[in-house]
Amino acid sequence: MTLALLALHLLLVGVLLPRRLAGSPRLQSRPALGAAVWLALMASFGIGLLLAAHHLVAPLGHEPAGLVGLLPHLEPAVAPHAHDWWAPVAAGGAVAAVTAVLAARAALARRRHRETLDLVATRDRGRRLLVLEDPRPAVYCLPGRRARVVATRGAVELLDERGLAAAVAHEYGHLRGRHHLVLLAADTFALLLGRLPLARLGRTEVALLLEMAADDAALARVTPGELAGALYALATAGTGAGPAGLAAASTGVLARVRRLARPPAPPAPAYRLAALAAPLLPYLLACAPHP
């Protein structure tokens, strides 16, 4: 019974809900909350998968009945069958290892790029950015402990003062929100379960929602029209993503410009609850008493 409930949960969270939520205007109206919902679904699927693995390898007749029955399985000295957790523990270790590798690679790439920028770029203190002598228009950020916002000479010449301020404010929104860490979580999930709709759609949606969240942060300094104009100018000039993948016009520009031009849809109250409750749901299913 427990295994059937967990399988149903995995189908709902991993396949059905992602197809329903992708492109949701209500999630886009509060993009930070929307990204949290997607990450909560990923966490819920991962926890459900680990619990299902445990129930598959646990000897018959030793499944914990209720939460109190589950807790002793965490103490080897108390539970004779605690070794049955080797499968979920190994899976959790694999997830941690993949996350660490991705984080280390990204940090190394950022450090090398930052060292190069410190040698060749010019600091513009008034605009709070580094100017890189490159004719290709791009504005991007390098997150981390020594964060940088970078604009190429092509972007400085392409955008007017307000447009450049809008693009820079967008990048500072990424830095303040630590969006690279959110992307790291989505990247790890997508790398491990890339064929799953939740992984494939979730990675794309999280990236778009983080761009929209940075757009919202920029609106504290510029108008929607100024930001939309800067995004359109950079996108049509052929700009690409920076080394960190967080360039102002690298993701979903058309959807973001349309969003800036229309009143936001009110978020459904259930989404906030979903972000909090989704990771707990597989525990409740695994621990619920059943005949």
Side-chain angles (χ1 to χ4, degrees):
M1 181 67 174
T2 297
L3 203 53
L5 288 175
L6 288 173
L8 184 62
H9 168 264
L10 294 176
L11 175 65
L12 176 67
V13 172
V15 179
L16 302 180
L17 274 179
R19 292 172 176 168
R20 185 67 180 267
L21 293 178
S24 167
R26 290 185 178 272
L27 285 182
Q28 292 178 1
S29 69
R30 297 292 187 274
L33 174 60
V37 168
W38 281 101
L39 290 188
L41 292 177
M42 293 176 185
S44 185
F45 185 91
I47 293 170
L49 196 61
L50 295 181
L51 288 172
H54 165 69
H55 281 275
L56 280 173
V57 301
L60 293 177
H62 291 290
E63 290 190 0
L67 182 59
V68 175
L70 178 64
L71 293 179
H73 282 247
L74 304 179
E75 281 293 339
V78 177
H81 299 286
H83 64 275
D84 299 327
W85 283 89
W86 68 266
V89 169
V95 172
V98 170
T99 304
V101 169
L102 290 179
R105 286 180 178 176
L108 179 60
R110 289 196 300 267
R111 188 187 71 185
R112 289 174 174 172
H113 190 72
R114 187 167 52 240
E115 291 171 350
T116 301
L117 286 173
D118 290 344
L119 293 175
V120 302
T122 304
R123 184 174 298 277
D124 187 331
R125 297 187 182 277
R127 295 174 173 142
R128 298 189 305 157
L129 57 81
L130 295 175
V131 178
L132 181 63
E133 296 299 329
D134 189 323
R136 297 169 295 179
V139 182
Y140 61 92
C141 67
L142 284 175
R145 294 180 61 184
R146 298 170 58 203
R148 303 280 192 278
V149 172
V150 183
T152 64
R153 180 61 62 186
V156 173
E157 294 175 352
L158 174 69
L159 301 173
D160 60 22
E161 198 62 34
R162 294 299 296 169
L164 184 59
V168 171
H170 170 94
E171 296 307 320
Y172 275 104
H174 279 312
L175 296 178
R176 286 192 297 271
R178 298 185 181 275
H179 292 168
H180 64 294
L181 299 179
V182 182
L183 272 179
L184 174 63
D187 284 342
T188 301
F189 192 85
L191 182 63
L192 293 171
L193 298 167
R195 293 183 179 274
L196 187 73
L198 177 59
R200 177 171 42 84
L201 295 174
R203 172 59 178 82
T204 301
E205 289 294 310
V206 167
L208 176 60
L209 289 166
L210 292 179
E211 293 298 330
M212 291 177 173
D215 289 342
D216 288 351
L219 294 180
R221 295 180 174 270
V222 297
T223 67
E226 290 168 339
L227 178 57
L231 294 176
Y232 180 79
L234 288 170
T236 55
T239 183
L246 293 172
S250 63
T251 303
V253 172
L254 182 58
R256 290 159 59 196
V257 169
R258 287 175 175 170
R259 175 177 177 269
L260 290 169
R262 67 173 185 256
Y271 288 146
R272 194 177 302 274
L273 177 62
L276 296 173
L280 300 177
L281 182 57
Y283 285 116
L284 297 178
L285 294 176
C287 299
H290 53 78

